[in-house]
Amino acid sequence: ARDPRQRCFAGGVNIRKNEHVGIGEGATAQLMQVRAAGGLFTSLYDLCERTDARTINKRVVEAAIKVGAFDTLHLNRRALHEAMDKAFDRGQRVARTKSQKQQTLFATFDEDENFKAETQGYGDIPDWDMAERLRFEKELTGYWMSMHPVGLYAELIAQHATVCASELPQRSKGDQVAIAAVVVGKRVVKTKTGRFMAILQLEDASGTFEAVLFPGRPNRKGQFEPGPFEKFGSECEDDLVALFIGTIEFREQRRQNRPAMETNDEDGAEVTDPLAEEGEPAAAAHEEPVVRMPSLQVAAMVPMPLVAERLTRDITVALSADALPSPDLIAQIEALFKEYDGDCPVTVQVHLPEGVALTLNLGNQWKVRANGSLVAALQRICGAERVIVHAEDALSLGRQQFNRAG
């Protein structure tokens, strides 16, 4: 099958013959024919003037804009999207004029380059952010085209992740790791004891791997203690980008090119093979393994937008005694702390002459929700070099589960 990220070019507009995208065979054929007859398309307006709106309709053009097919003509996809109505109106007027073979007032004005530029422009508006672009691309093509969604969190990943997918095979069984990945598949499996677990297909820019969410079990007092499946299994749906913390296990990839399924859950209970239930033959016992495939036994999971907030231990604002904030800046900081009220403590450290530092622990009323927006705003007010964020080790989130499993 053709890689969904590959495209062919049709005169300044990237076109893929893909019904899922909304650009079918008829639309693609007309675009190619018009380009061959009249040259490359120079703008959205040029395309609407030269094509038949009954075939190259708004649905086709909207889909093409959202997947980036017009990026070579104009980089702001949102501005292109907002200009669609104007471009189609103009195209229809031009088509009517040509079909009636008559000179109109519009055609007379359109001969003027200034008028043409004014009526063919794009709005000066902010483009869709990268997350929105990726969402549209995935909805229409089944994959992300501008970048991998894990890349949106590169700074957080550099701070908290300990490994990427391509490095998992080189790690040892039992290693505790933190890895950022996007969910691309999920299967819920029922064990022989009647409990449920989930098998996730995860992916980052370097590769794919499997992860397992085991069910809970009774603790020493006989009370049921929720496991990873109960705690966050419902959140682990397609397109979720998260930091997964867990233990590396290995299983065998057999010659028929499918992994042998886990046969036991965390307590040793037998798991029903979901592939066998679907009628696929189980792996033959005599087959030789060809490679050991890493699998992550997940202990904790944090959606990437919440990583900064969940893993920040405290924030220190470092000030100099001879350059204390003005009353106005102090008022801004106070308002900011009230806006982001939360559970993270804040410390103010005032550096005095001769290397002496005075540390002030602000009270509970000044605890904050330490997400990226709060930190960025505080850095703008105080200066980036004066705001120090102390983060927890990501592996600490799963340590309790690690110890329990051991």
Side-chain angles (χ1 to χ4, degrees):
R2 187 176 185 178
D3 188 318
R5 287 165 287 187
Q6 292 180 346
R7 311 172 191 172
C8 62
F9 291 81
V13 179
N14 285 340
I15 300 299
R16 298 198 312 120
K17 299 176 183 178
N18 191 325
E19 295 291 348
H20 185 53
V21 179
I23 304 174
E25 294 287 342
T28 303
Q30 183 178 139
L31 287 169
M32 301 294 282
Q33 291 168 1
V34 171
R35 184 200 65 170
L40 303 181
F41 298 111
T42 60
S43 68
L44 171 63
Y45 295 90
D46 180 46
L47 183 143
C48 290
E49 290 175 17
R50 294 165 56 190
T51 57
D52 187 342
R54 291 170 297 181
T55 303
I56 311 299
N57 54 37
K58 288 185 180 180
R59 180 183 58 81
V60 170
V61 172
E62 179 180 31
I65 289 172
K66 287 183 174 180
V67 300
F70 283 84
D71 284 0
T72 55
L73 301 181
H74 192 72
L75 288 175
N76 189 325
R77 295 184 189 178
R78 184 184 171 202
L80 281 163
H81 189 265
E82 294 293 320
M84 275 178 48
D85 287 341
K86 186 166 64 171
F88 271 92
D89 287 345
R90 177 185 171 84
Q92 290 171 2
R93 288 199 299 269
V94 170
R96 284 196 300 269
T97 298
K98 290 180 179 179
S99 66
Q100 295 170 2
K101 297 181 179 180
Q102 62 181 11
Q103 184 73 7
T104 66
L105 184 61
F106 170 79
T108 302
F109 274 109
D110 199 44
E111 293 175 359
D112 181 83
E113 291 300 323
N114 291 330
F115 176 79
K116 183 182 292 187
E118 181 69 24
T119 58
Q120 292 188 18
Y122 304 105
D124 184 15
I125 56 177
D127 200 352
W128 293 315
D129 61 28
M130 185 56 70
E132 189 79 347
R133 281 188 173 215
L134 294 176
R135 184 176 68 82
F136 287 140
E137 291 171 0
K138 179 69 184 299
E139 287 177 354
L140 290 164
T141 71
Y143 204 80
W144 309 279
M145 300 172 73
S146 295
M147 68 181 298
H148 196 280
V150 171
L152 292 171
Y153 305 96
E155 186 175 344
L156 284 172
I157 291 169
Q159 294 173 10
H160 301 292
T162 63
V163 70
C164 65
S166 63
E167 297 169 340
L168 290 176
Q170 285 74 54
R171 302 300 289 262
S172 299
K173 179 179 178 178
D175 279 359
Q176 300 171 5
V177 299
I179 182 169
V182 59
V183 178
V184 295
K186 174 183 177 181
R187 289 177 295 163
V188 176
V189 180
K190 188 175 183 179
T191 72
K192 285 293 182 70
T193 60
R195 294 180 299 175
F196 291 93
M197 57 186 285
I199 300 173
L200 307 177
Q201 289 298 319
L202 303 180
E203 176 183 303
D204 67 9
S206 71
T208 60
F209 62 100
E210 187 177 272
V212 181
L213 306 180
F214 283 117
R217 61 182 180 182
N219 58 24
R220 294 177 181 176
K221 296 181 180 180
Q223 300 169 328
F224 181 78
E225 185 176 332
F229 178 79
E230 290 81 16
K231 289 179 180 177
F232 43 79
S234 62
E235 294 182 69
C236 293
E237 298 296 341
D238 283 2
D239 301 335
L240 171 73
V241 183
L243 186 68
F244 294 88
I245 300 97
T247 305
I248 295 179
E249 300 293 338
F250 285 90
R251 57 192 181 81
E252 295 175 349
Q253 174 80 41
R254 300 188 184 277
R255 290 190 187 279
Q256 68 269 32
N257 294 323
R258 81 163 175 84
M261 293 300 302
E262 298 282 350
T263 57
N264 297 89
D265 70 9
E266 201 174 20
D267 292 329
E270 186 177 350
V271 176
T272 302
D273 186 339
L275 295 181
E277 288 181 346
E278 294 169 6
E280 292 190 23
H286 66 276
E287 287 186 285
E288 294 294 329
V290 293
V291 66
R292 294 167 67 236
M293 299 295 293
S295 178
L296 185 68
Q297 181 177 316
V298 179
M301 182 279 295
V302 184
M304 288 306 299
L306 299 179
V307 164
E309 183 177 340
R310 297 269 184 90
L311 290 179
T312 298
R313 185 175 68 249
D314 60 73
I315 297 174
T316 297
V317 180
L319 303 174
S320 174
D322 56 3
L324 293 175
S326 66
D328 179 59
L329 288 181
I330 291 175
Q332 291 183 43
I333 295 172
E334 180 179 341
L336 186 66
F337 286 0
K338 288 180 178 179
E339 179 182 354
Y340 288 92
D341 180 48
D343 299 317
C344 179
V346 179
T347 298
V348 176
Q349 195 173 72
V350 181
H351 292 268
L352 304 172
E354 301 179 0
V356 178
L358 177 64
T359 300
L360 305 173
N361 295 314
L362 303 185
N364 290 337
Q365 70 183 92
W366 300 113
K367 287 186 176 181
V368 296
R369 189 171 74 258
N371 58 24
S373 299
L374 175 278
V375 173
L378 193 57
Q379 289 175 335
R380 285 194 297 270
I381 295 172
C382 302
E385 71 285 354
R386 295 183 177 181
V387 179
I388 304 165
V389 177
H390 301 104
E392 295 280 2
D393 177 4
L395 297 181
S396 66
L397 292 179
R399 203 153 282 146
Q400 182 179 359
Q401 183 76 12
F402 292 144
N403 294 336
R404 174 172 165 261

mmCIF file of all heavy atoms in Angstrom, residues 145-179:
data_model
loop_
_atom_site.group_PDB
_atom_site.id
_atom_site.type_symbol
_atom_site.label_atom_id
_atom_site.label_comp_id
_atom_site.label_asym_id
_atom_site.label_seq_id
_atom_site.Cartn_x
_atom_site.Cartn_y
_atom_site.Cartn_z
ATOM 1 N N MET A 145 0.813 14.543 8.725
ATOM 2 C CA MET A 145 1.687 14.832 7.592
ATOM 3 C C MET A 145 2.689 15.949 7.887
ATOM 4 O O MET A 145 3.815 15.909 7.406
ATOM 5 C CB MET A 145 0.833 15.179 6.372
ATOM 6 C CG MET A 145 -0.106 14.040 5.985
ATOM 7 S SD MET A 145 -1.306 14.475 4.708
ATOM 8 C CE MET A 145 -0.254 14.524 3.282
ATOM 9 N N SER A 146 2.301 16.940 8.648
ATOM 10 C CA SER A 146 3.209 18.063 8.911
ATOM 11 C C SER A 146 4.344 17.663 9.833
ATOM 12 O O SER A 146 5.491 18.089 9.646
ATOM 13 C CB SER A 146 2.441 19.233 9.520
ATOM 14 O OG SER A 146 1.509 19.757 8.607
ATOM 15 N N MET A 147 4.035 16.870 10.843
ATOM 16 C CA MET A 147 5.033 16.383 11.786
ATOM 17 C C MET A 147 4.400 15.284 12.624
ATOM 18 O O MET A 147 3.175 15.101 12.585
ATOM 19 C CB MET A 147 5.534 17.516 12.704
ATOM 20 C CG MET A 147 4.478 18.034 13.683
ATOM 21 S SD MET A 147 5.074 19.392 14.748
ATOM 22 C CE MET A 147 6.398 18.581 15.637
ATOM 23 N N HIS A 148 5.209 14.559 13.358
ATOM 24 C CA HIS A 148 4.659 13.554 14.263
ATOM 25 C C HIS A 148 4.122 14.271 15.502
ATOM 26 O O HIS A 148 4.762 15.193 16.014
ATOM 27 C CB HIS A 148 5.735 12.536 14.669
ATOM 28 C CG HIS A 148 5.172 11.288 15.260
ATOM 29 N ND1 HIS A 148 4.755 11.221 16.575
ATOM 30 C CD2 HIS A 148 4.923 10.069 14.721
ATOM 31 C CE1 HIS A 148 4.286 10.007 16.809
ATOM 32 N NE2 HIS A 148 4.374 9.288 15.705
ATOM 33 N N PRO A 149 2.945 13.893 16.016
ATOM 34 C CA PRO A 149 2.360 14.629 17.147
ATOM 35 C C PRO A 149 3.212 14.611 18.410
ATOM 36 O O PRO A 149 3.134 15.534 19.224
ATOM 37 C CB PRO A 149 1.016 13.922 17.377
ATOM 38 C CG PRO A 149 1.161 12.583 16.742
ATOM 39 C CD PRO A 149 2.078 12.789 15.575
ATOM 40 N N VAL A 150 4.039 13.597 18.579
ATOM 41 C CA VAL A 150 4.925 13.563 19.749
ATOM 42 C C VAL A 150 5.896 14.745 19.707
ATOM 43 O O VAL A 150 6.308 15.268 20.742
ATOM 44 C CB VAL A 150 5.675 12.216 19.814
ATOM 45 C CG1 VAL A 150 6.763 12.235 20.888
ATOM 46 C CG2 VAL A 150 4.689 11.087 20.117
ATOM 47 N N GLY A 151 6.245 15.206 18.492
ATOM 48 C CA GLY A 151 7.166 16.331 18.345
ATOM 49 C C GLY A 151 6.652 17.637 18.901
ATOM 50 O O GLY A 151 7.434 18.572 19.128
ATOM 51 N N LEU A 152 5.343 17.740 19.127
ATOM 52 C CA LEU A 152 4.778 18.962 19.710
ATOM 53 C C LEU A 152 5.298 19.197 21.125
ATOM 54 O O LEU A 152 5.255 20.321 21.626
ATOM 55 C CB LEU A 152 3.249 18.868 19.748
ATOM 56 C CG LEU A 152 2.507 18.870 18.412
ATOM 57 C CD1 LEU A 152 1.038 18.541 18.625
ATOM 58 C CD2 LEU A 152 2.658 20.222 17.727
ATOM 59 N N TYR A 153 5.799 18.151 21.750
ATOM 60 C CA TYR A 153 6.198 18.242 23.163
ATOM 61 C C TYR A 153 7.693 17.978 23.330
ATOM 62 O O TYR A 153 8.128 17.411 24.333
ATOM 63 C CB TYR A 153 5.383 17.245 23.989
ATOM 64 C CG TYR A 153 3.898 17.414 23.820
ATOM 65 C CD1 TYR A 153 3.180 16.634 22.912
ATOM 66 C CD2 TYR A 153 3.201 18.378 24.537
ATOM 67 C CE1 TYR A 153 1.811 16.801 22.740
ATOM 68 C CE2 TYR A 153 1.832 18.552 24.366
ATOM 69 C CZ TYR A 153 1.150 17.752 23.469
ATOM 70 O OH TYR A 153 -0.205 17.926 23.295
ATOM 71 N N ALA A 154 8.487 18.395 22.348
ATOM 72 C CA ALA A 154 9.913 18.089 22.340
ATOM 73 C C ALA A 154 10.612 18.558 23.612
ATOM 74 O O ALA A 154 11.466 17.846 24.171
ATOM 75 C CB ALA A 154 10.571 18.717 21.110
ATOM 76 N N GLU A 155 10.289 19.754 24.090
ATOM 77 C CA GLU A 155 10.968 20.277 25.278
ATOM 78 C C GLU A 155 10.649 19.444 26.514
ATOM 79 O O GLU A 155 11.540 19.097 27.298
ATOM 80 C CB GLU A 155 10.560 21.733 25.505
ATOM 81 C CG GLU A 155 11.322 22.408 26.639
ATOM 82 C CD GLU A 155 10.998 23.884 26.769
ATOM 83 O OE1 GLU A 155 10.422 24.455 25.824
ATOM 84 O OE2 GLU A 155 11.307 24.464 27.825
ATOM 85 N N LEU A 156 9.378 19.097 26.698
ATOM 86 C CA LEU A 156 8.993 18.274 27.842
ATOM 87 C C LEU A 156 9.602 16.880 27.740
ATOM 88 O O LEU A 156 10.022 16.298 28.756
ATOM 89 C CB LEU A 156 7.471 18.158 27.922
ATOM 90 C CG LEU A 156 6.707 19.369 28.446
ATOM 91 C CD1 LEU A 156 5.215 19.152 28.279
ATOM 92 C CD2 LEU A 156 7.048 19.633 29.909
ATOM 93 N N ILE A 157 9.669 16.343 26.527
ATOM 94 C CA ILE A 157 10.235 15.014 26.329
ATOM 95 C C ILE A 157 11.717 15.006 26.695
ATOM 96 O O ILE A 157 12.220 14.078 27.343
ATOM 97 C CB ILE A 157 10.020 14.552 24.882
ATOM 98 C CG1 ILE A 157 8.528 14.300 24.641
ATOM 99 C CG2 ILE A 157 10.819 13.293 24.573
ATOM 100 C CD1 ILE A 157 8.169 14.089 23.190
ATOM 101 N N ALA A 158 12.424 16.064 26.294
ATOM 102 C CA ALA A 158 13.850 16.154 26.629
ATOM 103 C C ALA A 158 14.057 16.186 28.145
ATOM 104 O O ALA A 158 15.065 15.680 28.654
ATOM 105 C CB ALA A 158 14.453 17.399 25.979
ATOM 106 N N GLN A 159 13.110 16.763 28.860
ATOM 107 C CA GLN A 159 13.236 16.873 30.317
ATOM 108 C C GLN A 159 12.862 15.582 31.040
ATOM 109 O O GLN A 159 13.476 15.256 32.069
ATOM 110 C CB GLN A 159 12.331 18.004 30.826
ATOM 111 C CG GLN A 159 12.732 19.389 30.362
ATOM 112 C CD GLN A 159 11.689 20.434 30.753
ATOM 113 O OE1 GLN A 159 10.774 20.157 31.515
ATOM 114 N NE2 GLN A 159 11.825 21.628 30.204
ATOM 115 N N HIS A 160 11.877 14.855 30.525
ATOM 116 C CA HIS A 160 11.293 13.774 31.326
ATOM 117 C C HIS A 160 11.409 12.368 30.742
ATOM 118 O O HIS A 160 11.382 11.398 31.511
ATOM 119 C CB HIS A 160 9.816 14.076 31.588
ATOM 120 C CG HIS A 160 9.579 15.357 32.310
ATOM 121 N ND1 HIS A 160 9.957 15.551 33.622
ATOM 122 C CD2 HIS A 160 9.015 16.535 31.907
ATOM 123 C CE1 HIS A 160 9.623 16.774 33.999
ATOM 124 N NE2 HIS A 160 9.047 17.391 32.980
ATOM 125 N N ALA A 161 11.501 12.226 29.440
ATOM 126 C CA ALA A 161 11.582 10.884 28.855
ATOM 127 C C ALA A 161 12.997 10.327 29.007
ATOM 128 O O ALA A 161 13.977 11.071 28.972
ATOM 129 C CB ALA A 161 11.178 10.914 27.388
ATOM 130 N N THR A 162 13.097 9.028 29.157
ATOM 131 C CA THR A 162 14.401 8.381 29.319
ATOM 132 C C THR A 162 14.790 7.511 28.135
ATOM 133 O O THR A 162 15.918 7.031 28.069
ATOM 134 C CB THR A 162 14.414 7.508 30.595
ATOM 135 O OG1 THR A 162 13.444 6.457 30.455
ATOM 136 C CG2 THR A 162 14.089 8.326 31.826
ATOM 137 N N VAL A 163 13.863 7.322 27.198
ATOM 138 C CA VAL A 163 14.121 6.418 26.080
ATOM 139 C C VAL A 163 13.145 6.733 24.956
ATOM 140 O O VAL A 163 12.100 7.363 25.180
ATOM 141 C CB VAL A 163 13.967 4.947 26.552
ATOM 142 C CG1 VAL A 163 12.504 4.626 26.833
ATOM 143 C CG2 VAL A 163 14.554 3.951 25.567
ATOM 144 N N CYS A 164 13.479 6.335 23.723
ATOM 145 C CA CYS A 164 12.537 6.416 22.603
ATOM 146 C C CYS A 164 12.308 5.010 22.072
ATOM 147 O O CYS A 164 12.999 4.053 22.454
ATOM 148 C CB CYS A 164 13.043 7.353 21.510
ATOM 149 S SG CYS A 164 14.541 6.805 20.685
ATOM 150 N N ALA A 165 11.353 4.849 21.177
ATOM 151 C CA ALA A 165 10.942 3.518 20.726
ATOM 152 C C ALA A 165 12.091 2.730 20.103
ATOM 153 O O ALA A 165 12.232 1.529 20.340
ATOM 154 C CB ALA A 165 9.781 3.644 19.739
ATOM 155 N N SER A 166 12.916 3.384 19.301
ATOM 156 C CA SER A 166 13.995 2.676 18.616
ATOM 157 C C SER A 166 15.054 2.163 19.580
ATOM 158 O O SER A 166 15.844 1.272 19.230
ATOM 159 C CB SER A 166 14.645 3.592 17.572
ATOM 160 O OG SER A 166 15.246 4.713 18.196
ATOM 161 N N GLU A 167 15.100 2.703 20.794
ATOM 162 C CA GLU A 167 16.095 2.280 21.775
ATOM 163 C C GLU A 167 15.618 1.145 22.676
ATOM 164 O O GLU A 167 16.410 0.546 23.403
ATOM 165 C CB GLU A 167 16.499 3.475 22.646
ATOM 166 C CG GLU A 167 17.164 4.591 21.872
ATOM 167 C CD GLU A 167 17.309 5.866 22.691
ATOM 168 O OE1 GLU A 167 16.587 6.029 23.698
ATOM 169 O OE2 GLU A 167 18.154 6.703 22.318
ATOM 170 N N LEU A 168 14.324 0.839 22.649
ATOM 171 C CA LEU A 168 13.780 -0.194 23.543
ATOM 172 C C LEU A 168 14.429 -1.558 23.353
ATOM 173 O O LEU A 168 14.713 -2.246 24.339
ATOM 174 C CB LEU A 168 12.269 -0.290 23.363
ATOM 175 C CG LEU A 168 11.444 0.902 23.874
ATOM 176 C CD1 LEU A 168 9.968 0.691 23.541
ATOM 177 C CD2 LEU A 168 11.622 1.096 25.370
ATOM 178 N N PRO A 169 14.685 -2.023 22.115
ATOM 179 C CA PRO A 169 15.284 -3.359 21.962
ATOM 180 C C PRO A 169 16.664 -3.482 22.609
ATOM 181 O O PRO A 169 17.093 -4.593 22.933
ATOM 182 C CB PRO A 169 15.375 -3.538 20.441
ATOM 183 C CG PRO A 169 14.306 -2.637 19.895
ATOM 184 C CD PRO A 169 14.308 -1.460 20.812
ATOM 185 N N GLN A 170 17.367 -2.360 22.768
ATOM 186 C CA GLN A 170 18.706 -2.410 23.359
ATOM 187 C C GLN A 170 18.686 -2.383 24.890
ATOM 188 O O GLN A 170 19.722 -2.564 25.532
ATOM 189 C CB GLN A 170 19.555 -1.236 22.861
ATOM 190 C CG GLN A 170 20.050 -1.378 21.419
ATOM 191 C CD GLN A 170 18.951 -1.151 20.410
ATOM 192 O OE1 GLN A 170 18.274 -0.121 20.444
ATOM 193 N NE2 GLN A 170 18.781 -2.100 19.506
ATOM 194 N N ARG A 171 17.521 -2.139 25.469
ATOM 195 C CA ARG A 171 17.420 -2.111 26.914
ATOM 196 C C ARG A 171 17.260 -3.513 27.472
ATOM 197 O O ARG A 171 17.015 -4.472 26.732
ATOM 198 C CB ARG A 171 16.243 -1.223 27.350
ATOM 199 C CG ARG A 171 16.322 0.210 26.848
ATOM 200 C CD ARG A 171 17.581 0.921 27.334
ATOM 201 N NE ARG A 171 17.515 1.200 28.757
ATOM 202 C CZ ARG A 171 17.157 2.362 29.288
ATOM 203 N NH1 ARG A 171 16.845 3.377 28.496
ATOM 204 N NH2 ARG A 171 17.130 2.523 30.595
ATOM 205 N N SER A 172 17.383 -3.647 28.794
ATOM 206 C CA SER A 172 17.309 -4.961 29.431
ATOM 207 C C SER A 172 15.930 -5.200 30.025
ATOM 208 O O SER A 172 15.212 -4.257 30.387
ATOM 209 C CB SER A 172 18.357 -5.050 30.543
ATOM 210 O OG SER A 172 19.659 -4.887 30.023
ATOM 211 N N LYS A 173 15.565 -6.461 30.140
ATOM 212 C CA LYS A 173 14.315 -6.821 30.780
ATOM 213 C C LYS A 173 14.305 -6.295 32.206
ATOM 214 O O LYS A 173 15.276 -6.428 32.948
ATOM 215 C CB LYS A 173 14.148 -8.340 30.777
ATOM 216 C CG LYS A 173 12.868 -8.812 31.460
ATOM 217 C CD LYS A 173 12.747 -10.323 31.410
ATOM 218 C CE LYS A 173 11.478 -10.776 32.133
ATOM 219 N NZ LYS A 173 11.291 -12.235 32.081
ATOM 220 N N GLY A 174 13.192 -5.686 32.592
ATOM 221 C CA GLY A 174 13.068 -5.142 33.938
ATOM 222 C C GLY A 174 13.483 -3.694 34.065
ATOM 223 O O GLY A 174 13.272 -3.083 35.119
ATOM 224 N N ASP A 175 14.064 -3.118 33.003
ATOM 225 C CA ASP A 175 14.432 -1.696 33.052
ATOM 226 C C ASP A 175 13.179 -0.847 33.228
ATOM 227 O O ASP A 175 12.154 -1.087 32.580
ATOM 228 C CB ASP A 175 15.142 -1.271 31.769
ATOM 229 C CG ASP A 175 16.608 -1.648 31.748
ATOM 230 O OD1 ASP A 175 17.085 -2.220 32.747
ATOM 231 O OD2 ASP A 175 17.278 -1.373 30.727
ATOM 232 N N GLN A 176 13.284 0.159 34.074
ATOM 233 C CA GLN A 176 12.188 1.103 34.268
ATOM 234 C C GLN A 176 12.444 2.322 33.383
ATOM 235 O O GLN A 176 13.520 2.928 33.445
ATOM 236 C CB GLN A 176 12.083 1.493 35.735
ATOM 237 C CG GLN A 176 11.815 0.310 36.640
ATOM 238 C CD GLN A 176 11.934 0.649 38.109
ATOM 239 O OE1 GLN A 176 12.134 1.801 38.477
ATOM 240 N NE2 GLN A 176 11.817 -0.359 38.958
ATOM 241 N N VAL A 177 11.468 2.670 32.559
ATOM 242 C CA VAL A 177 11.666 3.737 31.582
ATOM 243 C C VAL A 177 10.459 4.663 31.550
ATOM 244 O O VAL A 177 9.358 4.309 31.986
ATOM 245 C CB VAL A 177 11.903 3.162 30.165
ATOM 246 C CG1 VAL A 177 13.145 2.293 30.133
ATOM 247 C CG2 VAL A 177 10.682 2.380 29.687
ATOM 248 N N ALA A 178 10.683 5.846 31.020
ATOM 249 C CA ALA A 178 9.607 6.803 30.728
ATOM 250 C C ALA A 178 9.726 7.155 29.253
ATOM 251 O O ALA A 178 10.803 7.544 28.787
ATOM 252 C CB ALA A 178 9.742 8.046 31.594
ATOM 253 N N ILE A 179 8.639 7.001 28.502
ATOM 254 C CA ILE A 179 8.669 7.218 27.058
ATOM 255 C C ILE A 179 7.424 7.967 26.614
ATOM 256 O O ILE A 179 6.317 7.672 27.058
ATOM 257 C CB ILE A 179 8.810 5.874 26.307
ATOM 258 C CG1 ILE A 179 8.894 6.094 24.798
ATOM 259 C CG2 ILE A 179 7.680 4.918 26.668
ATOM 260 C CD1 ILE A 179 9.296 4.843 24.035
#
